[in-house]
Amino acid sequence: MLIGIPNLLTPDLLRHLKAMGHGDELVIADANFPAEACAARIERLAGASATEVLRAILTIMPLDSYVDHPARTMQVVGDPDTVPDIVADFQKIIDETADHPAKIRGVERHEFYVEARKTYCIVQTAETRLYGNIILQKGVVPPS
């Protein structure tokens, strides 16, 4: 147990978050996401939802303020303008929790998979809502 660190974040996940540098990205993925096919580094939080994990990570990891879209989600196949409830929840969490609130950008499904393969780590959750996947780009931690 640590003060100020959400209990949801495992020691291995904390190590990955700390090891990531400015501009590195991670995926918070739902239970259906093909994590094994997309990443060498996978952390599984089998008892947590994607929204719980997003909130926990954003309490300790800054979003990149040097890019236009440090948060990206997968667009609904066949209806890219639809915003699934979970994506609306992601946006609310970013607005409330992130050090640098940013508007989420939707990415076409196959392009999302291409982008996911380039990320530092995938955090696979127990999320069962469809389209419960988000890519986050890490920002700079300023000197204290």
Side-chain angles (χ1 to χ4, degrees):
M1 301 288 291
L2 295 170
I3 296 170
I5 304 292
N7 290 332
L8 184 63
L9 302 178
T10 65
D12 288 336
L13 179 52
L14 288 169
R15 182 181 64 76
H16 288 309
L17 294 172
K18 178 75 173 168
M20 289 172 62
H22 172 238
D24 280 343
E25 297 177 320
L26 70 87
V27 177
I28 298 172
D30 63 27
N32 286 302
F33 192 81
E36 291 287 338
C38 288
R41 295 182 195 99
I42 301 168
E43 290 299 322
R44 289 190 171 76
L45 299 179
S49 71
T51 49
E52 291 171 320
V53 173
L54 176 63
R55 187 176 303 280
I57 286 174
L58 289 178
T59 65
I60 64 170
M61 187 187 90
L63 287 180
D64 197 337
S65 61
Y66 297 114
V67 297
D68 291 333
H69 301 285
R72 299 178 311 283
T73 58
M74 185 185 296
Q75 293 173 337
V76 174
V77 174
D79 194 2
D81 294 327
T82 294
V83 178
D85 290 343
I86 191 164
V87 174
D89 291 346
F90 286 159
Q91 186 65 65
K92 184 177 180 194
I93 291 166
I94 289 170
D95 293 344
E96 295 171 351
T97 310
D99 69 312
H100 174 71
K103 177 105 172 86
I104 293 172
R105 180 173 66 90
V107 177
E108 187 274 331
R109 176 180 170 233
H110 294 290
E111 182 58 30
F112 189 92
Y113 291 138
V114 168
E115 291 184 23
R117 286 183 184 96
K118 298 175 192 172
T119 63
Y120 181 89
C121 179
I122 293 179
V123 181
Q124 188 147 42
T125 69
E127 184 62 63
T128 57
R129 290 179 285 177
L130 299 180
Y131 298 98
N133 309 298
I134 187 167
I135 296 173
L136 302 176
Q137 189 166 349
K138 185 177 181 181
V140 173
V141 176
S144 50

